[in-house]
Amino acid sequence: MQDIIKKIENRERVTKEEALRLYNLELIELGELASTIREEKFGKKSYFNINRHINPTNICKDTCKFCAYSATRKNPNPYTMSVEEIVAIAKGAWEKGAKEVHIVSAHNPEVGLDWYLQSFSEVKKALPEIHVKALTAAEIHFLATEYNKSYEEIIELMIAHGVDSMPGGGAEIFAEDVRDKICKGKVSSKQWLEIHKIWHSRGRKSNATMLFGHIESREDRIDHMARLRELQDETDGFNTFIPLVYQRENNYLKVENFLTAKEILKTYAIARIFLDNIPHIKAYWATSTINLALLAQEFGCDDLDGTIQKESIQSAAGAASANGMALDEFVGLIQDSGFIPVERDSLYNELKVY
Ligand code: V47
C-alpha cells in the first residue's frame, strides 16, 4: 500500500488495480489523501448552483429495473407536460433565482421529437439567460433510434434549440454484464461514451454519473471510472463526476445489501484520486443524504449540486429531493460544516462566495 500512497502524494496517476486496492485503506487515511487533492484544487470552497430539475414526462419505452419513476414500471401516475407547462415551470424557477434548468425525461415514444426540442427552444426564448442542461445520452440514443437520426443530427438539433450542456444521466454502470441485468435494451456503455464524445467535439461540456450500491462490484465501479478517465484524456469535456447512490424503493431491482456510509465515502475518495482529469466530484445530496454529502466534503468532493426545487426521478425511489432545499438552509449547512459555500453557474464560474 505504501507504494500507492507515495504515487498519490507525488500526484502520479494510479492504475485500476491500485485504485481497487485503495478500498483496503483505512477510511480516514483514504479521506486525507483525497482531501489534500481537493484542497489543492479548491481550498475549502464547496460549489453549488441554484437550479430547478424538470422531469416533463414519465412515460418510458425502456424498462430499467432500478427505476421507480417510469409509468411503465411501478409508478401508477403517467404524465406528460405540455411545452407551455414546462416554460411556466422554468419561468417560476427563474423568478426564484434559478440560473439553470435541468430537464430530463423518460423515453416517451408518444410525444414526438418536436415536443422534446420545442421545450428547450421555448424555455430559451422566454428566458434567454437561463442555462439549459438537458437530454442525457440515454435520451439522445432513444431519440436517434426512434426518429431514425444519427447522434450527430440529434446533437445539432439540441444545439440549434438552445441546449447548453448535457447532464450525466444514463451512464448507470458500464460493465456490460451488470448493465444487462439492470437496464437491458437501453443505450449501451459504448454508445453512451460515443454520444458524450460527439457533444464534447462541439466544444460543449457535460457531466458523468455512476449508479452504485446495487449489484455491481467494486471492480465494476473502477472499470466505470476508468472508461470515463480514458475519454476525458481525449476530450476534456467532462466537468463533473457524480456517483449516484442507488435508492431502493418502488422498483424491481432486488438488492440484498445496501451500501454503508463507509463504502460510499471510500468510493467518493477513490473517485477524487483516480479521476485526476475530471475537475469536480459531486456528492449529490439527493441520493447520499445531506448529512453524508456534508461529510463527503472531507473525502474529496467539492460540489453538492444545488437547491433542486423539485425532482421526480430519484425521489420516486426514496431520495429526499422531492422538494429540494431552501437556499439559506443549504448555505448554512455548508458553512457549519467548515466549508465555504460558493454559488456557481453551470460551467463553474463563481457567482457568489458566501
Ligand atoms: O441516470 C434512476 C438515476 C439518473 C434511481 O448531470 C436512480 O448534474 C438512484 O443523472 N436510485 C438521472 N438513482 C439523474 C441524473 C443527475 C442527477 C443530478 C445531477 C446530474 C448532473 C445528473 O437517475 C439516471 C439514473 O442513474 N436513477 N433511478 C434509483 N433508484
Side-chain angles (χ1 to χ4, degrees):
M1 193 61 85
Q2 282 315 310
D3 51 329
I4 308 177
I5 294 174
K6 264 266 130 3
K7 272 180 95 170
I8 297 169
E9 284 169 349
N10 293 333
R11 300 292 175 264
E12 287 169 43
R13 184 167 266 198
V14 298
T15 64
K16 279 164 70 169
E17 294 67 31
E18 289 164 342
L20 190 59
R21 279 174 57 205
L22 285 173
Y23 273 107
N24 300 329
L25 197 58
E26 198 262 321
L27 177 67
I28 299 298
E29 200 176 346
L30 182 59
E32 273 165 11
L33 287 171
S35 213
T36 311
I37 301 172
R38 178 227 201 270
E39 293 210 2
E40 215 169 81
K41 290 177 191 273
F42 309 109
K44 286 279 178 192
K45 286 179 177 173
S46 277
Y47 295 98
F48 71 95
N49 69 348
I50 304 182
N51 62 348
R52 170 63 148 94
H53 285 233
I54 308 178
N55 306 119
T57 179
N58 65 352
I59 295 172
C60 198
K61 205 181 154 182
D62 282 298
T63 52
C64 304
K65 284 212 175 99
F66 52 78
C67 184
Y69 169 64
S70 163
T72 40
R73 305 308 281 163
K74 283 201 176 177
N75 189 335
N77 304 307
Y79 70 84
T80 300
M81 295 177 189
S82 66
V83 171
E84 292 71 30
E85 278 175 276
I86 298 166
V87 173
I89 293 171
K91 278 186 181 163
W94 177 258
E95 279 155 21
K96 287 193 201 146
K99 304 195 176 58
E100 171 192 288
V101 278
H102 176 155
I103 308 178
V104 169
S105 279
H107 310 155
N108 186 337
E110 293 162 17
V111 285
L113 178 59
D114 277 351
W115 173 86
Y116 280 87
L117 296 171
Q118 271 176 23
S119 63
F120 313 136
S121 51
E122 291 300 315
V123 165
K124 252 320 209 254
K125 202 156 92 191
L127 304 162
E129 286 172 53
I130 209 160
H131 182 102
V132 177
K133 180 162 85 177
L135 289 186
T136 65
E139 288 173 278
I140 295 174
H141 172 76
F142 157 71
L143 293 173
T145 314
E146 192 72 18
Y147 300 103
N148 205 18
K149 298 211 178 293
S150 65
Y151 295 149
E152 283 84 356
E153 284 173 307
I154 297 289
I155 281 173
E156 290 314 326
L157 286 167
M158 285 163 67
I159 293 173
H161 286 78
V163 176
D164 296 297
S165 67
M166 264 178 71
E172 320 315 355
I173 202 85
F174 290 145
E176 279 75 10
D177 55 337
V178 179
R179 201 172 180 84
D180 267 3
K181 287 189 188 125
I182 66 171
C183 57
K184 198 174 171 64
K186 140 162 140 176
V187 65
S188 73
S189 309
K190 225 172 134 230
Q191 289 160 335
W192 190 99
L193 290 161
E194 186 191 339
I195 290 166
H196 281 262
K197 185 173 170 175
I198 300 168
W199 181 253
H200 296 167
S201 76
R202 303 295 189 272
R204 302 289 177 132
K205 293 288 182 182
S206 67
N207 291 337
T209 57
M210 172 179 78
L211 183 67
F212 74 122
H214 41 91
I215 57 166
E216 89 293 351
S217 63
R218 286 174 169 176
E219 283 85 350
D220 295 329
R221 290 178 213 151
I222 303 295
D223 162 73
H224 189 95
M225 292 186 224
R227 297 196 209 190
L228 291 172
R229 189 170 78 173
E230 196 183 325
L231 179 58
Q232 180 74 341
D233 275 342
E234 237 185 280
T235 66
D236 200 26
F238 291 117
N239 263 338
T240 315
F241 177 61
I242 313 164
L244 300 169
V245 180
Y246 169 66
Q247 310 291 300
R248 66 181 94 164
E249 289 174 21
N250 306 320
N251 66 20
Y252 288 99
L253 186 60
K254 292 289 153 261
V255 171
E256 298 296 328
N257 298 308
F258 293 104
L259 289 177
T260 58
K262 191 170 163 184
E263 188 75 6
I264 296 171
L265 291 173
K266 282 191 171 184
T267 304
Y268 286 142
I270 292 170
R272 167 58 76 198
I273 293 164
F274 186 75
L275 293 173
D276 55 357
N277 55 2
I278 298 187
H280 302 282
I281 307 292
K282 186 186 284 190
Y284 182 51
W285 65 266
T287 62
S288 66
T289 75
I290 186 66
N291 290 340
L292 205 63
L294 293 169
L295 197 55
Q297 298 171 109
E298 309 267 9
F299 289 80
C301 295
D302 66 289
D303 189 302
L304 300 185
D305 197 74
T307 47
I308 297 178
Q309 288 189 12
K310 190 170 165 61
E311 189 278 332
S312 307
I313 300 178
Q314 290 152 331
S315 56
S321 44
N323 297 310
M325 200 184 314
L327 177 61
D328 52 353
E329 189 189 353
F330 199 59
V331 164
L333 286 169
I334 296 172
Q335 284 169 330
D336 288 349
S337 63
F339 287 81
I340 305 164
V342 179
E343 186 197 338
R344 60 166 177 85
D345 68 11
S346 305
L347 300 174
Y348 288 87
N349 298 300
E350 293 186 7
L351 301 179
K352 181 170 175 181
V353 180
Y354 285 80

